[in-house]
Amino acid sequence: MTATLADTIKPIWPAPAHVIAGVSTRSGGCSQAPYQSMNLAQHVGDNADDIAKNRTQLAHAEKTSPQQWQWLEQTHSTTIIEIDEVQNQPLHADAVFTRQQNTVCTVMTADCLPILLCDAQGSRVAAIHAGWRGLANGIVSNSINAFCNQLPAIKSQEIIAWLGPAIGPDHFEVGAEVKEAFVNDSAIGQLNAAAFEAQANNKYKADIYQLATIALNACGVHHIYGGGFCTVCESERFYSYRRKAQTGRMASYIYIDTNQNSAD
Ligand SMILES: [Zn+2]
């Protein structure tokens, strides 16, 4: 059997050439229905051997080994962890960053928003899992603070951010409790109101990209790229928990390549 290549999306952003980043799609793996085919998550009921093969294939597609990939056990928390070396077990966190080369920071999603970060020099990189709960509770500000304050500290204005595939505003219908978690009298709380469009029956359509952009802007991050995907609409390309609860997960990943002087 001929191996298929992992079909990944590459950010279009002005990151240094030695910062390697991407998002997997559904294509190119070996998982069977309903996880077909590039599921990377172990907690969704898929076959463990298939997941391991998919992870290996993705790692090789990015010219890395599977041992260089740090996976998380995500809980919609606001916890970010810095890693110097990859742990065998998944870390309990919703964001991870590193200043080490060849250490791949990874988050998994299927509707929630993945956010990738690097600084202008490409000396540190981060991956953030931002669902609505994490966003409302401050995963972005928590992550930016940790990312910037690790000595030698950097300014948040130097950060470049990329927003990966998430549920689009046309499909992200939420109840009033979600709007109430974001909208209040604070400066950010007032800006957040624009991300909610009222529907019938006290429901709202929410724009998770806009909410993340407001949170990033509030931290001083203005170089923001990506967005504009919809995991629900683009069913061939993306897993979506809202479309089908029993499904796989994509991985969004970023690392600092060894060859720091290449290309730029
Ligand atoms: Zn949609």
Side-chain angles (χ1 to χ4, degrees):
M1 199 178 94
T2 327
T4 47
L5 282 175
D7 179 18
T8 60
I9 295 171
K10 293 298 189 177
I12 297 170
W13 65 339
H18 63 269
V19 171
I20 311 296
V23 187
S24 65
T25 64
R26 296 187 68 148
S27 305
C30 61
S31 293
Q32 304 298 307
Y35 308 103
Q36 72 276 25
S37 64
M38 195 58 173
N39 170 48
L40 296 159
Q42 292 172 328
H43 66 285
V44 295
D46 191 9
N47 177 285
D49 290 340
D50 290 345
I51 299 160
K53 282 180 198 157
N54 291 343
R55 287 185 174 189
T56 299
Q57 184 162 323
L58 180 61
H60 289 170
E62 291 298 349
K63 300 181 170 51
T64 59
S65 79
Q67 289 73 31
Q68 290 171 246
W69 287 58
Q70 180 65 61
W71 300 93
L72 303 183
E73 189 167 328
Q74 301 161 186
T75 58
H76 300 278
S77 72
T78 58
T79 305
I80 178 164
I81 295 178
E82 180 178 22
I83 51 166
D84 288 328
E85 55 186 28
V86 173
Q87 311 296 309
N88 283 332
Q89 295 301 314
L91 297 172
H92 290 258
D94 283 83
V96 58
F97 77 104
T98 191
R99 291 172 288 162
Q100 301 299 320
Q101 297 173 357
N102 297 315
T103 303
V104 186
C105 294
T106 314
V107 292
M108 286 183 284
T109 60
D111 290 343
C112 288
L113 175 65
I115 306 174
L116 300 177
L117 307 177
C118 69
D119 64 328
Q121 285 71 43
S123 68
R124 58 187 77 185
V125 295
I128 302 169
H129 163 241
W132 76 261
R133 279 192 184 80
L135 276 176
N137 291 332
I139 183 81
V140 167
S141 57
N142 232 24
S143 296
I144 299 295
N145 284 339
F147 190 73
C148 288
N149 292 340
Q150 198 56 260
L151 296 174
I154 62 163
K155 291 188 167 65
S156 58
Q157 287 77 11
E158 296 174 39
I159 294 175
I160 306 165
W162 188 75
L163 310 181
I167 187 168
D170 56 335
H171 275 106
F172 194 23
E173 190 176 82
V174 299
E177 76 284 0
V178 175
K179 185 182 178 190
E180 283 160 15
F182 285 94
V183 179
N184 53 48
D185 290 339
S186 72
I188 297 177
Q190 291 179 28
L191 291 172
N192 283 341
F196 292 88
E197 187 188 321
Q199 307 294 302
N201 306 325
N202 207 24
K203 298 281 189 186
Y204 298 87
K205 283 188 173 172
D207 188 337
I208 200 165
Y209 296 112
Q210 193 175 355
L211 291 166
T213 299
I214 291 166
L216 286 163
N217 287 166
C219 297
V221 179
H222 297 280
H223 301 295
I224 304 171
Y225 301 84
F229 303 95
C230 181
T231 46
V232 178
C233 288
E234 299 174 65
S235 58
E236 297 290 314
R237 217 174 175 199
F238 301 126
Y239 297 110
S240 166
Y241 182 81
R242 185 164 289 221
R243 193 177 60 235
K244 189 173 176 52
Q246 193 181 7
T247 194
R249 299 287 183 276
M250 287 88 70
S252 296
Y253 51 88
I254 186 163
Y255 77 96
I256 303 167
D257 195 12
T258 317
N259 197 357
Q260 292 226 17
N261 298 318
S262 67
D264 60 347

